[in-house]
């Protein structure tokens, strides 16, 4: 009997024997164990002591440090962020070191302050909580970082002894600490242009940190083994921690490789606008990489997840989503500024790429020769101006398009980066929890409704009641079920949600018949969806809308739709624009704007009738009109399409006819048929073409010479 008792209590005795204060009690307990009457007393006393003493062995001390730094002139966001990360970790280690210095085991070694900090850096692991956040106040950008250290006091003494046992270890740790401090100072003094140097310093800091964490985990495992307390649970926890470290190290290595490739591509790009686009993409990728590191630290959501853990997880996820959204918004604004500045600089260069110089007369040059040279120079200068206007207009259109693309990219990156966090939030909200206390639901199975083969069932919980139906198909089984209804038990299933009065609510009931072990679940209501999930769905819809708007813009670029031939009298509420092209039609220029139709002076000139609404073109067409006898011109257009004979002089019929306009194009099908008939019946004398308005050309001209803005200026001068 004594042997049996000794065997049962051997584990307990081994635990107690490590505690000095309890050794005398254990000796007394050993003496009392021969007495059968004292067995019960010992068992209860043992349980009490285990409950009260064990926590003192496994106390976890938490140290958190938050650092907020401003992005000053000449500094980059990445530089300030890297500096803040290193500083937060260092301050957390120093605070942990202050605690460690108070321990008697450390005081015995009589260490200096720097040595204590070095010792702490070898024991603890500083982790960054979440993703660094961005705050803007009075146009000043602040970067905020939080670092956390968890110190397991259960094995702290042993870890310290392991380090102090080897004299060289502390020196190595001190050297690493100094190197880290130097890296931090270098990061603080970097210039924003030193991108390569920033990457190098970051890589060095991360390599030091990974190696230190690896050694710290090894020492922790050794300390547990030395204490003889490396249980199966603890071994599994350490294995998971090591797996997490390896996963993060792998992710960091992959990210460093991707960042290097991006940096090389950026350095090789010479085009100003393309470079700005690459910089913007790199910023998006950096934010995605930070989000990935945060995800790597997640634990699997399984049955071991408690309600309390889930609530804390939701709280953290909500903070993380808000922080990421803030950073995405900030990054979007920065990307817009970056792209806009690149286009503005390019537009400035294009606008100033010709000189409006005055030609001096050569003494040996005749007046006629000088006039001819001046005329030629002015013609070339005007052509350059027209070509420049075309280039500028094209750049402005491209700029508008790229800024629209930037908005779509912002929304797409928002979906890509936030999706894992939203999915995790959904997974937690879909989980159903049972409460250990207060989760019981009373269930009453009432008299059956034979007409519809079902039982009415009333459920009650916390002053609320629900009426549900339980259908049956087998009458005999239903009778047995009803007779044994006292064995029906119900437990509440709770889900987390965005309810204003509570973080969780009863949403379903699990009912079980204890006699037959039949079990089924009844859903009472759906959890109130978290706002982050609903906003994410709205963002997805916004992407589709933005893409459709871009598709419409693309379609309008080819054929705006408002360029047409009305076949009606041209309204005087519009504007007549007299334009002129150079010989090869590479550039067009506005000659005059008028509320009434004006004549052309040369064949190189065209007239477009334009109607505006809210400073946008809503209708445009070439102003071809039929002359009215003796009274000048009417505003009635020609009928379309126009049949144009090869030998007919249309200038006699009108000063501006579609058949000799540069704004028309041949209608191939009808023209081919006309010429076939002409060859057969008139030996080709009636050959010619059918012509229609060249909508694409008119559209390009309107965009190139920016007719809406030209009309705005004309209105300021004339109305």
């Amino acid at each position: 009997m004594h042997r049996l008792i000794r065997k049962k209590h051997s584990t307990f005795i081994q635990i107690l024997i490590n505690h000095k204060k309890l050794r005398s009690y254990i000796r007394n307990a050993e003496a009392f164990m021969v007495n059968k009457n004292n067995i019960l007393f010992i068992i209860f006393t043992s349980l009490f002591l285990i409950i009260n003493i064990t926590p003192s062995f496994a106390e976890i001390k938490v140290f958190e440090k938050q650092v907020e730094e401003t992005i000053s002139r000449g500094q980059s966001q990445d530089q300030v962020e890297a500096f803040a990360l290193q500083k937060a970790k260092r301050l957390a280690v120093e605070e942990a070191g202050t605690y460690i210095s108070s321990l008697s085991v450390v005081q015995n070694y009589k260490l200096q302050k720097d040595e204590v900090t070095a010792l702490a850096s070898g024991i603890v692991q500083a982790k960054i909580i979440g993703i660094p956040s961005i705050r803007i106040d009075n146009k000043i950008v602040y970067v905020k970082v939080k670092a956390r250290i968890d110190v397991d006091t259960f094995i702290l003494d042993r870890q310290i002894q392991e380090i102090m046992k080897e004299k060289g270890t502390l020196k190595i740790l001190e050297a690493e600490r100094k190197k880290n401090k130097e890296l931090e100072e270098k990061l603080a003094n970097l210039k924003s242009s030193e991108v390569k140097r920033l990457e190098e310093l970051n890589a060095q800091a991360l390599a030091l940190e990974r190696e230190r964490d690896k050694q710290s985990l090894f020492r922790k495992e050794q300390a547990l083994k030395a204490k003889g307390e490396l249980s199966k649970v603890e071994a599994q926890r350490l294995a998971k921690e090591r797996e997490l470290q390896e996963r993060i190290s792998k992710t960091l290595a992959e990210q460093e490789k991707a960042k290097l490739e991006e940096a090389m591509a950026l350095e090789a790009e010479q085009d100003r606008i393309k470079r700005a686009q690459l910089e913007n993409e790199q910023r998006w990728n950096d934010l995605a990489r930070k989000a990935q590191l945060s995800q790597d630290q997640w634990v699997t959501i399984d049955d071991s997840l408690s309600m309390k853990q889930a609530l804390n997880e939701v709280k953290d996820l909500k903070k993380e989503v808000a922080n990421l959204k803030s950073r995405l918004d900030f990054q979007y604004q920065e990307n817009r500024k970056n792209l806009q500045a690149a286009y503005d600089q390019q537009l400035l260069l294009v606008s100033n790429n010709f000189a409006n110089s005055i030609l001096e007369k050569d003494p040996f040059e005749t007046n006629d020769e000088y006039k001819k040279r001046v005329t030629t120079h002015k013609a070339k200068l005007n052509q350059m101006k027209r070509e420049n206007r075309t280039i500028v207009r094209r750049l402005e259109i491209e700029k508008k398009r790229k800024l629209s693309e930037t908005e779509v990219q912002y929304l797409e990156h928002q979906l890509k980066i936030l999706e894992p966090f939203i999915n995790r939030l959904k997974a937690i909200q879909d989980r159903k929890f049972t409460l250990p206390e207060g989760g019981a639901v009373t269930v009453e199975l009432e008299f059956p409704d034979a007409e519809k083969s079902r039982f009415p069932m009333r459920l009650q919980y916390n002053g609320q009641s629900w009426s549900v139906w339980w259908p049956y198909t087998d009458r005999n089984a239903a009778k047995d079920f009803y007779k044994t209804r006292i064995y029906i038990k119900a437990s509440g299933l709770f889900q987390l949600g965005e309810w204003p009065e509570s973080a969780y609510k009863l949403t379903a009931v699990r009912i079980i018949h204890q006699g037959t072990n039949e079990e089924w679940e009844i859903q009472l209501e759906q959890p109130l969806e978290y706002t982050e999930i609903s906003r994410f769905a709205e963002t997805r819809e916004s992407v589709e809308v933005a893409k459709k708007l871009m598709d419409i813009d693309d379609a309008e670029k080819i054929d705006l739709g408002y360029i047409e031939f009305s076949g009606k009298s041209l309204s005087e509420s519009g504007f007549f624009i007299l334009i002129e092209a150079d010989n090869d039609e590479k550039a067009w220029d506005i000659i005059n704007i008028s509320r009434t139709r004006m004549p052309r002076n040369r064949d190189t000139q065209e007239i477009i009738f334009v109607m505006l609404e809210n400073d946008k073109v809503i209708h445009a067409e070439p102003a071809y009109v039929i002359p009215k006898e003796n009274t000048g011109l009417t505003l009635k257009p020609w009928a379309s399409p126009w049949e144009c004979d090869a030998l007919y002089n249309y200038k006699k019929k009108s000063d501006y006819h579609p058949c000799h306009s540069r704004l028309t194009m041949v209608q191939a099908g009808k023209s081919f048929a006309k010429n076939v008939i002409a060859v057969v019946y008139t030996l080709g004398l009636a050959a010619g073409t059918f012509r229609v308005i060249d909508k694409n050309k008119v559209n390009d001209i309107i965009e190139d010479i920016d007719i809406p803005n030209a009309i705005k200026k004309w209105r300021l001068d004339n109305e």
Side-chain angles (χ1 to χ4, degrees):
M1 184 64 181
H2 293 169
R3 289 178 184 176
L4 178 62
I5 293 168
R6 288 175 187 276
K7 189 174 182 181
K8 284 184 177 180
H9 291 283
S10 61
T11 305
F12 165 66
I13 290 168
Q14 284 174 8
I15 293 172
L16 296 183
I17 209 163
N18 289 323
H19 202 284
K20 293 177 181 178
K21 293 179 181 180
L22 297 173
R23 283 178 180 173
S24 60
Y25 165 75
I26 292 166
R27 284 194 295 270
N28 293 333
E30 289 279 3
F32 278 125
M33 285 179 74
V34 296
N35 190 342
K36 295 180 182 180
N37 295 326
N38 288 325
I39 292 174
L40 189 62
F41 167 77
I42 292 171
I43 291 171
F44 279 111
T45 307
S46 303
L47 289 171
F48 172 81
L49 288 169
I50 288 169
I51 291 167
N52 287 279
I53 294 168
T54 303
S56 67
F57 284 101
E59 185 182 0
I60 302 295
K61 288 280 185 182
V62 177
F63 304 93
E64 284 190 354
K65 276 294 174 183
Q66 188 166 281
V67 171
E68 188 171 69
E69 296 289 333
T70 59
I71 300 177
S72 307
R73 186 175 294 177
Q75 291 182 311
S76 71
Q77 182 185 323
D78 287 341
Q79 172 206 342
V80 174
E81 199 170 292
F83 165 71
L85 286 167
Q86 293 303 316
K87 186 177 179 181
K89 289 176 183 178
R90 175 176 59 79
L91 291 174
V93 169
E94 286 176 2
E95 189 170 328
T98 303
Y99 165 73
I100 289 169
S101 67
S102 67
L103 301 176
S104 57
V105 67
V106 176
Q107 290 174 354
N108 292 338
Y109 288 108
K110 297 179 181 180
L111 300 176
Q112 299 295 319
K113 185 180 178 182
D114 288 348
E115 289 177 318
V116 172
T117 306
L119 176 65
S121 71
I123 296 168
V124 301
Q125 290 176 287
K127 295 177 182 177
I128 293 300
I129 306 300
I131 296 167
S133 61
I134 297 291
R135 180 174 66 86
I136 303 171
D137 189 9
N138 292 328
K139 296 183 179 179
I140 299 173
V141 182
Y142 296 85
V143 177
K144 190 186 286 184
V145 175
K146 184 186 275 188
R148 171 176 171 145
I149 290 176
D150 295 333
V151 177
D152 189 347
T153 59
F154 180 57
I155 55 169
L156 192 57
D157 288 6
R158 179 63 64 177
Q159 284 179 294
I160 292 167
Q161 288 167 5
E162 284 292 322
I163 290 175
M164 298 308 297
K165 193 165 57 178
E166 297 289 337
K167 293 181 181 179
T169 305
L170 191 61
K171 288 183 179 179
I172 292 168
L173 289 171
E174 174 63 13
E176 285 179 354
R177 190 194 65 80
K178 285 180 180 177
K179 192 170 183 180
N180 242 16
K181 191 76 185 291
E182 287 171 9
L183 284 171
E184 187 185 322
E185 288 170 0
K186 286 176 183 177
L187 283 167
N189 296 320
L190 274 180
K191 294 179 182 177
S192 59
S193 57
E194 295 179 283
V195 180
K196 277 187 177 179
R197 186 68 180 139
L198 174 64
E199 292 298 327
E200 287 173 10
L201 291 173
N202 262 337
Q204 287 178 36
L206 287 169
L208 272 172
E209 188 180 326
R210 289 203 296 271
E211 183 57 33
R212 193 169 58 246
D213 287 350
K214 187 178 176 182
Q215 291 299 324
S216 175
L217 187 63
F218 172 74
R219 292 188 192 102
K220 189 175 184 180
E221 192 172 4
Q222 291 298 106
L224 281 167
K225 284 179 179 177
K227 273 187 173 284
E229 297 296 337
L230 187 57
S231 64
K232 185 179 179 182
V233 174
E234 191 66 25
Q236 287 175 346
R237 188 178 68 79
L238 286 170
K240 284 182 180 179
E241 201 171 332
R242 189 181 292 103
E243 185 186 339
L244 175 64
Q245 277 191 6
E246 289 171 358
R247 186 165 66 243
I248 291 173
S249 294
K250 185 181 177 183
T251 300
L252 284 168
E254 290 170 354
Q255 289 185 357
E256 284 168 19
K257 184 181 177 184
K259 285 170 81 171
L260 183 62
E261 289 172 357
E262 288 168 11
M264 289 171 66
L266 192 62
E267 190 177 0
E269 185 56 65
Q270 299 299 314
D271 185 274
R272 185 178 288 102
I273 293 168
K274 287 181 180 177
R275 185 178 178 83
Q277 289 173 310
L278 283 174
E279 285 172 351
N280 290 351
E281 190 61 34
Q282 190 179 45
R283 290 193 188 104
W284 289 129
N285 291 341
D286 279 340
L287 192 51
R289 284 189 275 263
K290 289 180 178 74
Q292 182 59 52
L293 282 173
S294 181
Q295 292 163 44
D296 280 351
Q297 297 181 45
W298 288 346
V299 295
T300 307
I301 296 174
D302 53 25
D303 293 338
S304 64
L305 185 72
S306 68
M307 172 79 83
K308 186 178 178 181
Q309 288 172 326
L311 286 168
N312 289 333
E313 179 88 4
V314 165
K315 187 179 176 183
D316 292 341
L317 282 170
K318 279 175 160 283
K319 283 182 181 177
E320 204 81 352
V321 169
N323 178 28
L324 280 169
K325 180 67 170 64
S326 173
R327 290 200 61 149
L328 284 159
D329 292 343
F330 172 78
Q331 201 59 65
Y332 168 58
Q333 295 301 329
E334 290 298 300
N335 285 359
R336 275 187 69 91
K337 287 179 192 174
N338 190 29
L339 194 61
Q340 191 141 2
Y343 271 102
D344 289 346
Q345 199 169 356
Q346 189 68 23
L347 284 164
L348 189 65
L349 289 171
V350 170
S351 301
N352 297 329
N353 70 351
F354 61 89
N356 194 6
S357 58
I358 298 171
L359 293 177
E360 297 291 335
K361 185 177 180 298
D362 190 280
F364 296 96
E365 192 175 30
T366 65
N367 288 334
D368 288 342
E369 286 172 339
Y370 176 65
K371 285 179 183 178
K372 186 178 179 181
R373 188 160 64 87
V374 168
T375 303
T376 304
H377 175 72
K378 283 183 177 178
K380 285 182 179 178
L381 199 61
N382 287 334
Q383 184 176 345
M384 284 177 66
K385 285 180 180 179
R386 286 196 294 269
E387 288 174 355
N388 256 45
R389 276 198 297 271
T390 302
I391 294 168
V392 166
R393 182 61 183 156
R394 292 290 182 196
L395 273 173
E396 284 175 345
I397 292 167
E398 187 183 309
K399 175 185 170 183
K400 183 183 175 184
R401 166 75 183 183
K402 290 298 180 186
L403 288 173
S404 296
E405 284 180 0
T406 302
E407 183 182 1
V408 172
Q409 286 169 358
Y410 154 66
L411 292 170
E412 286 180 333
H413 279 94
Q414 192 171 316
L415 291 177
K416 180 183 173 183
I417 291 170
L418 293 181
E419 188 169 24
F421 295 85
I422 298 300
N423 287 342
R424 190 167 177 85
L425 205 54
K426 279 181 182 176
I428 293 173
Q429 190 164 43
D430 289 341
R431 289 267 302 148
K432 291 174 181 172
F433 300 90
T434 55
L435 296 184
E437 293 180 4
V441 176
T442 58
V443 55
E444 295 176 20
L445 190 70
E446 297 177 355
F447 200 71
D449 179 359
E451 299 297 327
K452 295 183 179 179
S453 300
R454 61 183 184 177
F455 284 108
M457 192 177 283
R458 182 174 294 279
L459 305 168
Q460 290 184 334
Y461 170 76
N462 202 20
Q464 289 180 287
S465 64
W466 297 266
S467 293
V468 295
W469 297 96
W470 182 74
Y472 61 84
T473 53
D474 188 328
R475 185 177 295 181
N476 292 327
K479 286 179 181 179
D480 293 338
F481 187 79
Y482 184 71
K483 287 175 184 176
T484 57
R485 60 186 179 277
I486 60 169
Y487 295 104
I488 298 173
K489 300 295 178 185
S491 58
L493 298 175
F494 298 80
Q495 285 180 273
L496 310 188
E498 203 76 272
W499 293 289
E501 69 278 6
S502 176
Y504 58 88
K505 222 175 185 183
L506 179 73
T507 58
V509 173
R510 182 180 292 129
I511 299 172
I512 185 168
H513 191 290
Q514 293 177 328
T516 62
N517 285 329
E518 287 181 86
E519 185 180 314
W520 66 99
E521 190 177 296
I522 296 174
Q523 192 74 31
L524 302 176
E525 64 174 289
Q526 293 299 324
L528 190 60
E529 193 174 59
Y530 287 121
T531 51
E532 290 79 5
I533 297 172
S534 54
R535 284 174 188 162
F536 185 78
E538 289 169 7
T539 303
R540 200 181 289 281
E541 289 174 6
S542 299
V543 172
E544 297 306 315
V545 170
K547 283 181 177 179
K548 283 179 183 176
L549 288 174
M550 284 183 65
D551 290 341
I552 290 168
D553 287 343
D554 284 344
E556 287 185 348
K557 193 175 178 183
I558 299 167
D559 183 357
L560 291 174
Y562 52 68
I563 299 166
E564 58 186 51
F565 190 77
S566 64
K568 300 176 182 178
S569 296
L570 300 179
S571 169
E572 292 188 9
S573 63
F575 297 85
F576 292 89
I577 319 293
L578 181 65
I579 58 175
E580 186 168 17
D582 55 14
N583 291 328
D584 53 4
E585 295 186 23
K586 283 186 177 177
W588 292 80
D589 202 6
I590 296 175
I591 306 301
N592 197 8
I593 298 175
S594 175
R595 283 286 194 179
T596 57
R597 189 188 181 282
M598 66 203 89
R600 299 189 312 156
N601 298 321
R602 290 181 290 274
D603 288 344
T604 53
Q605 294 178 347
E606 301 280 348
I607 303 171
I608 300 177
F609 174 72
V610 173
M611 292 177 69
L612 298 180
E613 189 176 283
N614 297 326
D615 296 325
K616 290 184 179 179
V617 177
I618 59 168
H619 176 83
E621 64 175 272
Y624 311 130
V625 296
I626 303 170
K628 194 175 181 181
E629 293 178 7
N630 305 322
T631 57
L633 299 168
T634 183
L635 296 182
K636 184 181 179 183
W638 294 96
S640 174
W642 305 284
E643 187 176 0
C644 304
D645 294 330
L647 301 177
Y648 188 80
N649 184 5
Y650 288 95
K651 288 184 181 180
K652 290 180 180 179
K653 198 170 185 179
S654 168
D655 73 321
Y656 187 37
H657 192 279
C659 288
H660 58 81
S661 167
R662 298 184 182 200
L663 304 182
T664 61
M665 59 188 288
V666 174
Q667 196 175 30
K670 276 194 171 186
S671 299
F672 178 75
K674 176 181 172 66
N675 290 329
V676 169
I677 293 168
V679 169
V680 174
Y681 291 100
T682 65
L683 299 178
L685 293 175
T689 57
F690 282 93
R691 300 184 74 84
V692 292
I693 293 173
D694 189 342
K695 289 187 178 184
N696 287 341
K697 183 180 282 188
V698 176
N699 175 55
D700 288 342
I701 291 169
I702 289 171
E703 288 187 341
D704 288 346
I705 59 181
D706 197 2
I707 281 178
N709 278 330
I711 292 173
K712 273 188 193 176
K713 291 175 186 175
W714 183 87
R715 275 175 165 165
L716 290 171
D717 296 336
N718 296 278
E719 292 184 351

